[in-house]
Amino acid sequence: INDLKKALPLNGTKALVTAGPTYEAIDPVRFIGNHSSGKMGFAIADELAKLGADVTLVSGPSAQVSKQRSIKRIDVTSAAEMLDMCLQNFEQAQVCVMSAAVADYTPVTVATQKIKKQDDGLTIATKKTTDILKTLGSLKRPHQILVGFALETDNEEVHAIGKLQTKNLDMIVLNSLKDEGAGFKGDTNKITIIDKNLAKTDYSLKSKDEVAKDICAKIVTLI
Ligand code: CTP
Ligand code: CA
């Protein structure tokens, strides 16, 4: 087994992966969230571990379970908690894949009591969350590979390249919601990978496990 492990491409490599949605509390019983299942991030964590990496998985609320028992899972709820855990684990990681669907906005204040219903409806004041990926991009050192995702419905490639560059990424995985069967809720995905040299690879619609293999194979070529 030791000889086998030595032959794996990511043996001795530490990896940090985020997965799932974040929940931003409104009051003790309500939150702002999204439909991310966590499947894509868990599949990436499993694949990196299979390739020999020592994986830390920071997950928002998700029903997923890792297949690879070596994975160290850290559960978080909000974007702010996810940021904290990523900052704690970033420096040690050579490979970072931020696949979580982090909420872009969080309520300005969290009501301490359940908000009672009102006849005029309810307006919730929100503020932007910190962009975790961009923060890590600004801290990144040359030996680190930082991978982000872009979820787009229009002008996909232009938006994805914009994110790749402004967040200082080594590659970005474009998830086009235009395609049938793609997106963060289902079992399949259709992606395009764009690396920092703007080399583009299109992949066909496949299971998230297969997509994770494609993403991790690409990461291995960047190391
Ligand atoms: N991301 C993050 N922290 C945030 C928001 C997003 O780390 N507060 C990361 C996601 O994990 C993903 C990438 O940024 O890897 C892109 O997310 P996406 O929602 O496509 O892009 P945004 O930059 O949030 O822009 P917008 O939602 O306006 O398209
Ligand atoms: Ca967003």
Side-chain angles (χ1 to χ4, degrees):
I1 290 179
N2 271 342
D3 285 347
L4 203 70
K5 258 206 129 177
K6 267 183 207 137
L8 295 172
L10 297 181
N11 187 37
T13 303
K14 282 199 180 359
L16 173 65
V17 180
T18 63
T22 65
Y23 287 178
E24 310 302 320
I26 296 168
D27 71 11
V29 296
R30 303 183 180 95
F31 59 85
I32 298 171
N34 62 65
H35 288 300
S36 170
S37 64
K39 276 181 190 142
M40 196 64 251
F42 274 71
I44 289 167
D46 276 332
E47 182 59 23
L48 290 171
K50 268 197 202 169
L51 293 172
D54 178 2
V55 181
T56 298
L57 173 61
V58 178
S59 178
S62 167
Q64 298 300 306
V65 178
S66 291
K67 294 187 189 116
Q68 297 299 309
R69 298 185 57 187
S70 64
I71 294 172
K72 182 186 165 212
R73 175 170 175 173
I74 302 174
D75 285 311
V76 296
T77 304
S78 65
E81 287 168 17
M82 187 173 276
L83 172 67
D84 275 353
M85 289 305 141
C86 286
L87 287 174
Q88 277 185 36
N89 288 279
F90 182 63
E91 209 177 288
Q92 306 93 283
Q94 289 109 285
V95 172
C96 301
V97 186
M98 299 292 108
S99 46
V102 184
D104 290 329
Y105 301 98
T106 194
V108 174
T109 54
V110 183
T112 52
Q113 308 296 331
K114 184 184 166 197
I115 301 171
K116 297 311 265 179
K117 69 184 161 211
Q118 299 149 31
D119 288 338
D120 327 338
L122 174 67
T123 303
I124 299 163
T126 63
K127 59 181 184 207
K128 248 168 82 177
T129 56
T130 302
D131 191 320
I132 300 170
L133 184 60
K134 194 174 179 183
T135 304
L136 300 186
S138 72
L139 298 171
K140 189 177 73 168
R141 292 188 293 149
H143 69 283
Q144 292 178 301
I145 304 277
L146 182 59
V147 179
F149 278 71
L151 191 65
E152 310 293 348
T153 57
D154 62 285
N155 261 323
E156 294 88 355
E157 280 176 28
V158 174
H159 286 140
I161 290 170
K163 288 173 188 174
L164 175 81
Q165 292 174 336
T166 57
K167 302 189 191 194
N168 192 28
L169 311 181
D170 297 284
M171 69 183 227
I172 192 152
V173 181
L174 166 61
N175 243 321
S176 179
L177 285 186
K178 218 172 54 177
D179 297 299
E180 195 69 30
F184 59 10
K185 229 173 154 181
D187 288 321
T188 54
N189 225 349
K190 190 170 182 308
I191 61 158
T192 299
I193 292 180
I194 305 172
D195 71 20
K196 64 177 171 195
N197 302 317
L198 305 188
K200 203 186 93 178
T201 315
D202 284 309
Y203 298 87
S204 58
L205 182 72
K206 39 183 109 175
S207 75
K208 287 187 175 173
D209 287 343
E210 295 297 319
V211 171
K213 277 191 191 156
D214 290 337
I215 293 169
C216 295
K218 199 56 142 191
I219 290 170
V220 169
T221 67
L222 294 180
I223 291 176

Tab-separated table of all heavy atoms in Angstrom, residues 116-167:
chain	number	residue	atom	x	y	z
A	116	LYS	N	-42.096	38.543	13.653
A	116	LYS	CA	-43.544	38.303	13.490
A	116	LYS	C	-44.011	38.799	12.128
A	116	LYS	O	-43.447	39.745	11.581
A	116	LYS	CB	-44.323	39.036	14.593
A	116	LYS	CG	-44.020	38.550	16.005
A	116	LYS	CD	-44.095	37.044	16.144
A	116	LYS	CE	-45.427	36.535	16.635
A	116	LYS	NZ	-45.422	35.029	16.726
A	117	LYS	N	-45.028	38.161	11.572
A	117	LYS	CA	-45.494	38.605	10.253
A	117	LYS	C	-46.212	39.942	10.372
A	117	LYS	O	-46.837	40.243	11.380
A	117	LYS	CB	-46.359	37.540	9.584
A	117	LYS	CG	-47.684	37.295	10.190
A	117	LYS	CD	-48.371	36.146	9.458
A	117	LYS	CE	-49.470	35.581	10.320
A	117	LYS	NZ	-49.694	34.165	10.128
A	118	GLN	N	-46.011	40.717	9.283
A	118	GLN	CA	-46.557	42.070	9.264
A	118	GLN	C	-47.413	42.223	8.030
A	118	GLN	O	-47.133	41.611	7.006
A	118	GLN	CB	-45.396	43.092	9.204
A	118	GLN	CG	-44.449	43.017	10.399
A	118	GLN	CD	-43.022	43.415	10.027
A	118	GLN	OE1	-42.804	44.234	9.160
A	118	GLN	NE2	-42.047	42.805	10.696
A	119	ASP	N	-48.420	43.091	8.115
A	119	ASP	CA	-49.331	43.253	6.985
A	119	ASP	C	-48.660	43.861	5.754
A	119	ASP	O	-49.029	43.550	4.632
A	119	ASP	CB	-50.539	44.119	7.389
A	119	ASP	CG	-51.459	43.333	8.329
A	119	ASP	OD1	-51.385	42.083	8.297
A	119	ASP	OD2	-52.221	43.953	9.085
A	120	ASP	N	-47.650	44.730	5.961
A	120	ASP	CA	-47.025	45.416	4.817
A	120	ASP	C	-45.883	44.626	4.194
A	120	ASP	O	-45.112	45.190	3.446
A	120	ASP	CB	-46.432	46.774	5.217
A	120	ASP	CG	-47.199	47.465	6.290
A	120	ASP	OD1	-48.388	47.142	6.453
A	120	ASP	OD2	-46.616	48.334	6.965
A	121	GLY	N	-45.722	43.371	4.518
A	121	GLY	CA	-44.594	42.625	3.974
A	121	GLY	C	-43.342	42.905	4.782
A	121	GLY	O	-43.388	43.632	5.774
A	122	LEU	N	-42.249	42.338	4.343
A	122	LEU	CA	-41.007	42.451	5.130
A	122	LEU	C	-39.865	42.799	4.195
A	122	LEU	O	-39.684	42.165	3.155
A	122	LEU	CB	-40.730	41.112	5.816
A	122	LEU	CG	-39.415	40.968	6.575
A	122	LEU	CD1	-39.379	41.876	7.796
A	122	LEU	CD2	-39.212	39.514	6.981
A	123	THR	N	-39.076	43.787	4.559
A	123	THR	CA	-37.865	44.113	3.805
A	123	THR	C	-36.679	43.796	4.696
A	123	THR	O	-36.651	44.199	5.860
A	123	THR	CB	-37.864	45.612	3.427
A	123	THR	OG1	-39.061	45.880	2.691
A	123	THR	CG2	-36.660	45.961	2.571
A	124	ILE	N	-35.738	43.034	4.152
A	124	ILE	CA	-34.559	42.662	4.938
A	124	ILE	C	-33.351	43.405	4.384
A	124	ILE	O	-33.017	43.251	3.203
A	124	ILE	CB	-34.317	41.146	4.875
A	124	ILE	CG1	-35.520	40.405	5.470
A	124	ILE	CG2	-33.035	40.754	5.605
A	124	ILE	CD1	-35.573	38.949	5.100
A	125	ALA	N	-32.722	44.199	5.204
A	125	ALA	CA	-31.515	44.908	4.755
A	125	ALA	C	-30.352	43.912	4.724
A	125	ALA	O	-30.149	43.154	5.678
A	125	ALA	CB	-31.206	46.054	5.709
A	126	THR	N	-29.618	43.900	3.614
A	126	THR	CA	-28.474	42.986	3.517
A	126	THR	C	-27.211	43.754	3.155
A	126	THR	O	-27.269	44.878	2.668
A	126	THR	CB	-28.707	41.912	2.429
A	126	THR	OG1	-28.815	42.548	1.159
A	126	THR	CG2	-29.959	41.090	2.703
A	127	LYS	N	-26.080	43.101	3.393
A	127	LYS	CA	-24.786	43.655	2.961
A	127	LYS	C	-24.019	42.544	2.261
A	127	LYS	O	-24.344	41.359	2.433
A	127	LYS	CB	-24.003	44.159	4.179
A	127	LYS	CG	-23.741	43.059	5.189
A	127	LYS	CD	-22.992	43.530	6.425
A	127	LYS	CE	-22.708	42.318	7.298
A	127	LYS	NZ	-22.581	42.580	8.706
A	128	LYS	N	-23.041	42.911	1.466
A	128	LYS	CA	-22.256	41.916	0.737
A	128	LYS	C	-21.417	41.074	1.690
A	128	LYS	O	-20.896	41.588	2.677
A	128	LYS	CB	-21.326	42.631	-0.253
A	128	LYS	CG	-21.712	42.371	-1.702
A	128	LYS	CD	-20.986	43.285	-2.653
A	128	LYS	CE	-19.590	42.786	-2.965
A	128	LYS	NZ	-18.922	43.667	-3.951
A	129	THR	N	-21.293	39.791	1.394
A	129	THR	CA	-20.364	38.946	2.141
A	129	THR	C	-18.958	39.182	1.590
A	129	THR	O	-18.791	39.739	0.509
A	129	THR	CB	-20.709	37.454	1.965
A	129	THR	OG1	-20.712	37.161	0.555
A	129	THR	CG2	-22.064	37.108	2.559
A	130	THR	N	-17.956	38.753	2.323
A	130	THR	CA	-16.586	38.808	1.803
A	130	THR	C	-16.434	37.731	0.740
A	130	THR	O	-16.885	36.599	0.941
A	130	THR	CB	-15.581	38.536	2.941
A	130	THR	OG1	-15.802	39.513	3.952
A	130	THR	CG2	-14.143	38.617	2.464
A	131	ASP	N	-15.813	38.051	-0.378
A	131	ASP	CA	-15.546	37.047	-1.411
A	131	ASP	C	-14.350	36.192	-0.941
A	131	ASP	O	-13.206	36.664	-0.896
A	131	ASP	CB	-15.249	37.729	-2.745
A	131	ASP	CG	-15.224	36.746	-3.905
A	131	ASP	OD1	-14.691	35.630	-3.731
A	131	ASP	OD2	-15.731	37.097	-4.977
A	132	ILE	N	-14.652	34.962	-0.571
A	132	ILE	CA	-13.620	34.075	-0.007
A	132	ILE	C	-12.546	33.791	-1.054
A	132	ILE	O	-11.339	33.882	-0.784
A	132	ILE	CB	-14.260	32.746	0.470
A	132	ILE	CG1	-15.317	33.030	1.549
A	132	ILE	CG2	-13.194	31.777	0.985
A	132	ILE	CD1	-16.182	31.825	1.911
A	133	LEU	N	-12.998	33.450	-2.249
A	133	LEU	CA	-12.080	33.109	-3.333
A	133	LEU	C	-11.142	34.270	-3.650
A	133	LEU	O	-9.924	34.093	-3.797
A	133	LEU	CB	-12.919	32.727	-4.562
A	133	LEU	CG	-12.199	32.243	-5.795
A	133	LEU	CD1	-11.387	30.986	-5.528
A	133	LEU	CD2	-13.214	31.981	-6.921
A	134	LYS	N	-11.709	35.462	-3.727
A	134	LYS	CA	-10.899	36.642	-4.041
A	134	LYS	C	-9.901	36.935	-2.918
A	134	LYS	O	-8.754	37.327	-3.172
A	134	LYS	CB	-11.832	37.840	-4.248
A	134	LYS	CG	-11.176	39.030	-4.894
A	134	LYS	CD	-12.216	40.089	-5.188
A	134	LYS	CE	-11.553	41.304	-5.819
A	134	LYS	NZ	-12.535	42.373	-6.034
A	135	THR	N	-10.343	36.740	-1.680
A	135	THR	CA	-9.459	36.946	-0.535
A	135	THR	C	-8.272	35.993	-0.606
A	135	THR	O	-7.116	36.402	-0.431
A	135	THR	CB	-10.236	36.717	0.786
A	135	THR	OG1	-11.375	37.575	0.790
A	135	THR	CG2	-9.376	37.002	2.006
A	136	LEU	N	-8.552	34.707	-0.894
A	136	LEU	CA	-7.461	33.733	-0.990
A	136	LEU	C	-6.557	34.071	-2.178
A	136	LEU	O	-5.338	33.926	-2.086
A	136	LEU	CB	-8.014	32.305	-1.119
A	136	LEU	CG	-8.890	31.811	0.048
A	136	LEU	CD1	-9.245	30.338	-0.150
A	136	LEU	CD2	-8.225	32.019	1.408
A	137	GLY	N	-7.170	34.547	-3.273
A	137	GLY	CA	-6.381	34.933	-4.449
A	137	GLY	C	-5.385	36.035	-4.119
A	137	GLY	O	-4.266	36.049	-4.628
A	138	SER	N	-5.786	36.946	-3.237
A	138	SER	CA	-4.899	38.052	-2.871
A	138	SER	C	-3.779	37.594	-1.931
A	138	SER	O	-2.760	38.265	-1.799
A	138	SER	CB	-5.705	39.184	-2.229
A	138	SER	OG	-6.126	38.802	-0.933
A	139	LEU	N	-3.982	36.442	-1.269
A	139	LEU	CA	-2.974	35.922	-0.326
A	139	LEU	C	-2.085	34.855	-0.966
A	139	LEU	O	-1.097	34.428	-0.377
A	139	LEU	CB	-3.675	35.284	0.889
A	139	LEU	CG	-4.541	36.190	1.754
A	139	LEU	CD1	-5.339	35.362	2.762
A	139	LEU	CD2	-3.669	37.210	2.481
A	140	LYS	N	-2.462	34.413	-2.158
A	140	LYS	CA	-1.837	33.252	-2.809
A	140	LYS	C	-0.337	33.452	-3.046
A	140	LYS	O	0.097	34.517	-3.446
A	140	LYS	CB	-2.534	32.999	-4.142
A	140	LYS	CG	-2.136	31.712	-4.810
A	140	LYS	CD	-2.922	31.495	-6.075
A	140	LYS	CE	-2.465	32.437	-7.186
A	140	LYS	NZ	-3.017	32.058	-8.493
A	141	ARG	N	0.420	32.383	-2.782
A	141	ARG	CA	1.852	32.412	-3.079
A	141	ARG	C	2.135	31.519	-4.299
A	141	ARG	O	1.300	30.705	-4.671
A	141	ARG	CB	2.632	31.994	-1.840
A	141	ARG	CG	2.494	33.081	-0.743
A	141	ARG	CD	3.378	32.860	0.442
A	141	ARG	NE	2.978	31.669	1.173
A	141	ARG	CZ	3.837	30.905	1.835
A	141	ARG	NH1	5.115	31.184	1.847
A	141	ARG	NH2	3.403	29.850	2.486
A	142	PRO	N	3.322	31.687	-4.931
A	142	PRO	CA	3.550	31.042	-6.236
A	142	PRO	C	3.376	29.520	-6.274
A	142	PRO	O	2.992	28.983	-7.308
A	142	PRO	CB	5.004	31.416	-6.557
A	142	PRO	CG	5.230	32.687	-5.819
A	142	PRO	CD	4.418	32.599	-4.561
A	143	HIS	N	3.615	28.834	-5.158
A	143	HIS	CA	3.503	27.370	-5.201
A	143	HIS	C	2.051	26.892	-5.063
A	143	HIS	O	1.775	25.709	-5.159
A	143	HIS	CB	4.347	26.739	-4.086
A	143	HIS	CG	3.788	26.996	-2.712
A	143	HIS	ND1	3.939	28.202	-2.069
A	143	HIS	CD2	3.043	26.218	-1.891
A	143	HIS	CE1	3.327	28.142	-0.903
A	143	HIS	NE2	2.766	26.940	-0.761
A	144	GLN	N	1.130	27.821	-4.844
A	144	GLN	CA	-0.261	27.417	-4.608
A	144	GLN	C	-1.110	27.496	-5.877
A	144	GLN	O	-0.967	28.438	-6.663
A	144	GLN	CB	-0.889	28.313	-3.528
A	144	GLN	CG	-0.285	28.088	-2.148
A	144	GLN	CD	-0.881	29.002	-1.100
A	144	GLN	OE1	-0.798	30.221	-1.232
A	144	GLN	NE2	-1.475	28.427	-0.075
A	145	ILE	N	-1.989	26.502	-6.024
A	145	ILE	CA	-2.922	26.465	-7.164
A	145	ILE	C	-4.307	26.780	-6.616
A	145	ILE	O	-4.798	26.093	-5.716
A	145	ILE	CB	-2.975	25.039	-7.776
A	145	ILE	CG1	-1.592	24.547	-8.184
A	145	ILE	CG2	-3.989	24.992	-8.920
A	145	ILE	CD1	-1.130	25.005	-9.516
A	146	LEU	N	-4.917	27.831	-7.141
A	146	LEU	CA	-6.248	28.232	-6.673
A	146	LEU	C	-7.259	28.091	-7.813
A	146	LEU	O	-7.075	28.656	-8.887
A	146	LEU	CB	-6.199	29.679	-6.168
A	146	LEU	CG	-7.491	30.269	-5.591
A	146	LEU	CD1	-8.001	29.467	-4.392
A	146	LEU	CD2	-7.266	31.732	-5.185
A	147	VAL	N	-8.296	27.298	-7.528
A	147	VAL	CA	-9.310	27.002	-8.540
A	147	VAL	C	-10.664	27.533	-8.077
A	147	VAL	O	-11.074	27.280	-6.937
A	147	VAL	CB	-9.412	25.478	-8.780
A	147	VAL	CG1	-10.481	25.163	-9.827
A	147	VAL	CG2	-8.061	24.911	-9.189
A	148	GLY	N	-11.341	28.261	-8.944
A	148	GLY	CA	-12.666	28.772	-8.615
A	148	GLY	C	-13.710	28.270	-9.594
A	148	GLY	O	-13.381	27.646	-10.605
A	149	PHE	N	-14.931	28.555	-9.284
A	149	PHE	CA	-16.055	28.217	-10.160
A	149	PHE	C	-16.734	29.506	-10.609
A	149	PHE	O	-16.612	30.542	-9.946
A	149	PHE	CB	-17.077	27.351	-9.404
A	149	PHE	CG	-16.708	25.904	-9.375
A	149	PHE	CD1	-15.643	25.458	-8.611
A	149	PHE	CD2	-17.421	24.982	-10.125
A	149	PHE	CE1	-15.288	24.118	-8.591
A	149	PHE	CE2	-17.080	23.638	-10.116
A	149	PHE	CZ	-16.015	23.201	-9.350
A	150	ALA	N	-17.437	29.414	-11.695
A	150	ALA	CA	-18.273	30.530	-12.135
A	150	ALA	C	-19.587	29.946	-12.593
A	150	ALA	O	-19.623	29.034	-13.416
A	150	ALA	CB	-17.605	31.290	-13.267
A	151	LEU	N	-20.631	30.430	-12.018
A	151	LEU	CA	-21.978	29.988	-12.374
A	151	LEU	C	-22.600	31.110	-13.192
A	151	LEU	O	-22.797	32.201	-12.676
A	151	LEU	CB	-22.751	29.767	-11.077
A	151	LEU	CG	-24.098	29.073	-11.165
A	151	LEU	CD1	-23.917	27.641	-11.652
A	151	LEU	CD2	-24.756	29.048	-9.797
A	152	GLU	N	-22.861	30.854	-14.466
A	152	GLU	CA	-23.316	31.926	-15.355
A	152	GLU	C	-24.524	31.491	-16.167
A	152	GLU	O	-24.698	30.309	-16.454
A	152	GLU	CB	-22.194	32.316	-16.328
A	152	GLU	CG	-20.837	32.600	-15.693
A	152	GLU	CD	-20.805	33.847	-14.818
A	152	GLU	OE1	-21.760	34.643	-14.860
A	152	GLU	OE2	-19.823	34.018	-14.068
A	153	THR	N	-25.318	32.483	-16.546
A	153	THR	CA	-26.455	32.201	-17.417
A	153	THR	C	-26.319	32.913	-18.759
A	153	THR	O	-27.019	32.596	-19.705
A	153	THR	CB	-27.773	32.675	-16.767
A	153	THR	OG1	-27.650	34.061	-16.485
A	153	THR	CG2	-28.072	31.915	-15.492
A	154	ASP	N	-25.440	33.906	-18.834
A	154	ASP	CA	-25.286	34.661	-20.082
A	154	ASP	C	-23.849	35.146	-20.182
A	154	ASP	O	-23.169	35.272	-19.165
A	154	ASP	CB	-26.229	35.864	-20.082
A	154	ASP	CG	-25.898	36.826	-18.960
A	154	ASP	OD1	-26.226	36.514	-17.797
A	154	ASP	OD2	-25.281	37.866	-19.221
A	155	ASN	N	-23.387	35.394	-21.405
A	155	ASN	CA	-22.015	35.882	-21.605
A	155	ASN	C	-21.024	35.078	-20.783
A	155	ASN	O	-20.091	35.638	-20.186
A	155	ASN	CB	-21.910	37.336	-21.142
A	155	ASN	CG	-21.992	38.277	-22.316
A	155	ASN	OD1	-21.467	37.974	-23.392
A	155	ASN	ND2	-22.673	39.387	-22.126
A	156	GLU	N	-21.237	33.741	-20.744
A	156	GLU	CA	-20.538	32.874	-19.796
A	156	GLU	C	-19.026	33.081	-19.769
A	156	GLU	O	-18.434	33.266	-18.709
A	156	GLU	CB	-20.760	31.395	-20.135
A	156	GLU	CG	-22.156	30.885	-19.996
A	156	GLU	CD	-22.988	31.062	-21.247
A	156	GLU	OE1	-22.519	31.684	-22.222
A	156	GLU	OE2	-24.126	30.596	-21.228
A	157	GLU	N	-18.420	32.994	-20.977
A	157	GLU	CA	-16.953	32.992	-20.997
A	157	GLU	C	-16.364	34.325	-20.585
A	157	GLU	O	-15.365	34.375	-19.864
A	157	GLU	CB	-16.441	32.567	-22.370
A	157	GLU	CG	-16.500	31.059	-22.482
A	157	GLU	CD	-16.111	30.535	-23.844
A	157	GLU	OE1	-15.320	31.203	-24.548
A	157	GLU	OE2	-16.622	29.468	-24.207
A	158	VAL	N	-16.997	35.391	-21.005
A	158	VAL	CA	-16.512	36.727	-20.644
A	158	VAL	C	-16.557	36.896	-19.129
A	158	VAL	O	-15.585	37.335	-18.495
A	158	VAL	CB	-17.365	37.819	-21.340
A	158	VAL	CG1	-16.982	39.209	-20.862
A	158	VAL	CG2	-17.237	37.702	-22.851
A	159	HIS	N	-17.678	36.487	-18.529
A	159	HIS	CA	-17.806	36.605	-17.076
A	159	HIS	C	-16.812	35.709	-16.362
A	159	HIS	O	-16.200	36.099	-15.354
A	159	HIS	CB	-19.236	36.251	-16.633
A	159	HIS	CG	-20.236	37.308	-16.955
A	159	HIS	ND1	-21.499	37.036	-17.421
A	159	HIS	CD2	-20.163	38.660	-16.888
A	159	HIS	CE1	-22.159	38.174	-17.611
A	159	HIS	NE2	-21.354	39.168	-17.295
A	160	ALA	N	-16.629	34.492	-16.877
A	160	ALA	CA	-15.711	33.547	-16.223
A	160	ALA	C	-14.276	34.067	-16.279
A	160	ALA	O	-13.545	34.022	-15.285
A	160	ALA	CB	-15.814	32.169	-16.876
A	161	ILE	N	-13.872	34.592	-17.425
A	161	ILE	CA	-12.509	35.123	-17.566
A	161	ILE	C	-12.322	36.329	-16.640
A	161	ILE	O	-11.281	36.493	-16.008
A	161	ILE	CB	-12.192	35.468	-19.044
A	161	ILE	CG1	-12.080	34.166	-19.849
A	161	ILE	CG2	-10.907	36.287	-19.171
A	161	ILE	CD1	-12.009	34.347	-21.360
A	162	GLY	N	-13.366	37.141	-16.525
A	162	GLY	CA	-13.318	38.272	-15.592
A	162	GLY	C	-13.049	37.800	-14.174
A	162	GLY	O	-12.195	38.358	-13.462
A	163	LYS	N	-13.733	36.745	-13.749
A	163	LYS	CA	-13.543	36.213	-12.388
A	163	LYS	C	-12.154	35.595	-12.232
A	163	LYS	O	-11.487	35.790	-11.203
A	163	LYS	CB	-14.630	35.178	-12.077
A	163	LYS	CG	-16.006	35.807	-11.861
A	163	LYS	CD	-17.129	34.790	-11.708
A	163	LYS	CE	-18.494	35.517	-11.705
A	163	LYS	NZ	-19.649	34.612	-11.712
A	164	LEU	N	-11.710	34.867	-13.258
A	164	LEU	CA	-10.372	34.259	-13.244
A	164	LEU	C	-9.307	35.317	-12.974
A	164	LEU	O	-8.399	35.128	-12.156
A	164	LEU	CB	-10.135	33.592	-14.610
A	164	LEU	CG	-8.768	32.988	-14.912
A	164	LEU	CD1	-8.655	31.608	-14.287
A	164	LEU	CD2	-8.519	32.881	-16.422
A	165	GLN	N	-9.452	36.452	-13.652
A	165	GLN	CA	-8.416	37.482	-13.559
A	165	GLN	C	-8.550	38.337	-12.308
A	165	GLN	O	-7.567	38.558	-11.608
A	165	GLN	CB	-8.436	38.333	-14.837
A	165	GLN	CG	-7.965	37.478	-16.023
A	165	GLN	CD	-8.068	38.160	-17.382
A	165	GLN	OE1	-8.863	39.078	-17.574
A	165	GLN	NE2	-7.272	37.686	-18.334
A	166	THR	N	-9.769	38.766	-11.978
A	166	THR	CA	-9.881	39.656	-10.810
A	166	THR	C	-9.641	38.909	-9.503
A	166	THR	O	-9.224	39.498	-8.519
A	166	THR	CB	-11.243	40.376	-10.713
A	166	THR	OG1	-12.263	39.392	-10.699
A	166	THR	CG2	-11.477	41.313	-11.863
A	167	LYS	N	-9.863	37.569	-9.507
A	167	LYS	CA	-9.653	36.812	-8.271
A	167	LYS	C	-8.286	36.120	-8.235
A	167	LYS	O	-8.007	35.349	-7.313
A	167	LYS	CB	-10.792	35.803	-8.076
A	167	LYS	CG	-12.180	36.481	-8.022
A	167	LYS	CD	-13.282	35.539	-7.608
A	167	LYS	CE	-14.663	36.177	-7.837
A	167	LYS	NZ	-15.746	35.462	-7.154
